[in-house]
Amino acid sequence: MTRTRALSAQALAVLDILANAAGEWRHGYDIAALAGIKSGTLYPLLMRLEAQGQLEAAWQESPTSGRPPRHVYRLTEAGHALVASLGDALAQARALRAGAGLTPGLAGRSS
Amino acid sequence: MKGLAPIRRLSAVLIRVLMQGVVWLLPAAQSGWAKAMRAEVAEMADEGEALSFAFGCLKAALQLACERAGQRGLQRVQRVRVMGLQAPYLGLLGASAAVLLGCGFMVWADAPRPMAWMNGLSLAFALASLALLPRRSLQRGPRLRSILCAALGALLLASTALAPMSGVIGRWLHLGPVHVQPVWILLPCLLLLSRPRRGVERSRGDSLGLLMAVAALVLQAELIWLMVMSLVLWQRGWQHRGEPDAPLAVLAMLGAAAVAQIWQVPAHTPFVDQVLQSGFERHAGLGLLLGLGSLLLLLPALFHRNAREHGLIWGGLSLAAWMGWVSTPLLGLGGSAILGYVLSLAALPGPAAVAGSALSDELDLEPKPTGRGSHLPKTGLT
């Protein structure tokens, strides 16, 4: 049976950022910075999204030699479908983040 | 810049310890996630940011470990109720549970009967005192906080006139049959009251109080407290550059270095010092239970970002207690620690501050909606 629980504002922010990445892979730190959430909130969310098939993760070699490969994330088809079904809620979350001074979507920072 | 090298090394070690904790806490099936977190931290150039990120990862791993323990019911209560509780209430819950656990251990281990009673009475007295404190005014009045900081610093300095415990170390205040160590009560409150708050200008009272506290701790040869104080001030100086905390932290560290010349590890007193080890000596399960009791002191810090300094103070003291350098707070016999812990909760942002700056301190994104996500669509995600 599908659990019917509301998406948290943080989950909406993460989905919004990944949706706006237009298929590009995103790092955990980038997502946290753009969504304005802490790593303690981000990772359980990413784990759940991945477990539910909304998100896919991959390993990407670090450009700096000697550093471990990084985990990168992007939405799956199911994730994009979920985002498309969110409509107003996503727009509301985006407006709230913009109000809080956080840059929405594509203006990501690279680390 | 050269002077910052030891701090950077210390941060790097701390980050490594935190990330090792993450690896240890997450099950094998999620080891990839632990690696992912570690790789992310490794890419960060700013130590402060990396430390904060690592703390968050540990918090996430702790949460997931709780889930894994199969305590789904308990975890639901934790998410809905405990995390929803304000930091002071969480602290009260943790303190009460820790004191009761300590009392239970004393009774079980045949400690002299008055010990458990004394801790119980201290807890009752501390709770009553907290109820009488004007918490709302403390949250809303920067002027009152500033005056209090100066007054607490002055009181701590004045307590130097009391007779030392041994040599020049430590001070006791005798109030009839009750004996308290002023430093346990005054310093945590002073440190937390002087915490910088968003949108509130720092006053001279805060710095003056902290300065007097450093002087008092040096005069009283309180090495551990000087170290705890410098730890809190360092992380504060790191987060709020330009504030007077970094110079005060340096001063506290210099004081600690000076005091280290004469400081000695206190003599071990059963049921007061190294309570965790005493538990482990009797039974591993008992030791673990008491270890969990120690972690209860960190509840406010684990669930509320703006109570992080509270966690730093009491976590630091718990670690020092593990080494036998101070008495074990709340689990061991000691009304001063109980009183100090409970009263320091008054300095944490609580319900009175929610409407103001504390909320933006606590939530990075937005105020919590009053009806949990009522405006959001229902989906299969949490």
Side-chain angles (χ1 to χ4, degrees):
Chain A
M1 201 176 86
T2 311
R3 291 166 73 197
T4 53
R5 287 181 65 177
L7 277 168
S8 65
Q10 287 92 342
L12 285 172
V14 169
L15 285 170
D16 188 30
I17 283 150
L18 289 170
N20 280 316
E24 293 273 317
W25 293 98
R26 282 246 176 248
H27 294 125
Y29 179 61
D30 287 347
I31 301 171
L34 288 168
I37 60 177
K38 293 286 154 191
S39 51
T41 309
L42 175 74
Y43 279 103
L45 247 174
L46 291 178
M47 288 178 191
R48 281 187 202 122
L49 286 169
E50 197 214 18
Q52 289 166 357
Q54 320 284 357
L55 181 92
E56 60 180 325
W59 292 99
Q60 195 178 65
E61 284 301 321
S62 171
T64 317
S65 68
R67 294 235 171 109
R70 293 173 80 179
H71 225 201
V72 285
Y73 315 93
R74 70 179 177 196
L75 288 184
T76 57
E77 287 301 309
H80 281 293
L82 171 69
V83 168
S85 73
L86 291 172
D88 283 352
L90 211 59
Q92 272 179 31
R94 199 175 302 146
L96 278 171
R97 280 191 302 121
L102 294 163
T103 323
L106 279 170
R109 54 192 279 193
S110 60
S111 52
Chain B
M1 283 297 110
K2 207 177 173 185
L4 288 174
I7 306 299
R8 290 208 170 115
R9 269 200 297 275
L10 189 68
S11 304
V13 170
L14 192 55
I15 288 168
R16 220 172 299 149
V17 169
L18 291 171
M19 297 319 292
Q20 198 52 47
V22 172
V23 172
W24 185 73
L25 281 167
L26 288 178
Q30 286 174 329
S31 61
W33 286 99
K35 275 185 203 157
M37 294 176 197
R38 199 149 59 172
E40 219 55 31
V41 171
E43 284 290 330
M44 290 181 195
D46 185 306
E47 290 95 331
E49 224 165 358
L51 199 58
S52 164
F53 199 89
F55 263 116
C57 292
L58 187 70
K59 182 190 156 194
L62 266 172
Q63 263 181 291
L64 293 164
C66 286
E67 284 182 25
R68 199 179 73 243
Q71 299 170 346
R72 290 194 177 276
L74 179 67
Q75 202 251 337
R76 200 159 286 181
V77 170
Q78 194 184 35
R79 280 179 62 83
V80 177
R81 302 261 182 242
V82 180
M83 284 183 77
L85 276 182
Q86 296 296 328
Y89 297 135
L90 263 180
L92 283 181
L93 269 179
S96 306
V99 170
L100 289 176
L101 195 63
C103 289
F105 171 65
M106 288 175 192
V107 171
W108 186 83
D110 285 332
R113 191 61 57 88
M115 283 189 169
W117 278 110
M118 277 165 71
N119 267 17
L121 282 174
S122 298
L123 178 66
F125 180 71
L127 295 177
S129 306
L130 182 68
L132 293 174
L133 282 179
R135 284 189 44 232
R136 272 174 196 276
S137 313
L138 278 178
Q139 298 306 328
R140 290 177 177 166
R143 197 173 140 73
L144 175 63
R145 282 199 301 272
S146 165
I147 292 168
L148 264 176
C149 282
L152 290 172
L155 274 174
L156 198 55
L157 195 56
S159 71
T160 309
L162 298 168
M165 286 190 282
S166 62
V168 293
I169 303 169
R171 293 296 186 277
W172 283 100
L173 177 63
H174 304 282
L175 301 165
V178 182
H179 311 299
V180 290
Q181 288 174 270
V183 67
W184 282 85
I185 300 166
L186 301 176
L187 196 61
C189 291
L190 167 58
L191 284 173
L192 293 169
L193 282 172
S194 65
R195 190 178 72 94
R197 294 171 198 238
R198 201 173 287 181
V200 179
E201 207 174 313
R202 297 289 292 279
S203 72
R204 283 188 194 154
D206 300 348
S207 306
L208 184 66
L210 290 169
L211 198 62
M212 285 192 281
V214 173
L217 295 177
V218 171
L219 291 171
Q220 296 176 23
E222 292 281 11
L223 175 64
I224 304 305
W225 282 102
L226 277 166
M227 285 165 70
V228 167
M229 190 171 177
S230 59
L231 183 70
V232 171
L233 294 174
W234 265 123
Q235 76 85 29
R236 204 182 272 179
W238 210 308
Q239 283 188 336
H240 307 270
R241 283 162 207 189
E243 296 285 352
D245 300 299
L248 283 166
V250 173
L251 210 57
M253 272 183 100
L254 288 174
V259 166
Q261 315 287 324
I262 53 163
W263 187 81
Q264 287 174 331
V265 178
H268 173 82
T269 311
F271 302 107
V272 177
D273 302 304
Q274 295 190 301
V275 171
L276 262 67
Q277 282 91 330
S278 306
F280 275 111
E281 279 164 18
R282 283 171 170 81
H283 193 278
L286 189 61
L288 279 175
L289 194 64
L290 290 168
L292 280 176
S294 280
L295 287 179
L296 287 174
L297 306 191
L298 308 182
L299 271 182
L302 284 174
F303 292 102
H304 292 274
R305 190 171 160 234
N306 49 19
R308 204 176 278 171
E309 283 190 8
H310 186 267
L312 211 53
I313 296 169
W314 293 99
L317 288 170
S318 296
L319 273 179
W322 172 262
M323 307 299 288
W325 295 339
V326 287
S327 50
T328 311
L330 280 79
L331 290 165
L333 174 70
S336 311
I338 296 173
L339 207 55
Y341 184 92
V342 174
L343 293 185
S344 68
L345 295 171
L348 293 179
V354 163
S357 59
L359 185 68
S360 53
D361 262 1
E362 189 168 340
L363 299 175
D364 304 283
L365 194 63
E366 64 192 50
K368 271 182 188 163
T370 43
R372 267 175 79 86
S374 53
H375 62 295
L376 301 172
K378 304 283 180 191
T379 76
L381 283 170
T382 51

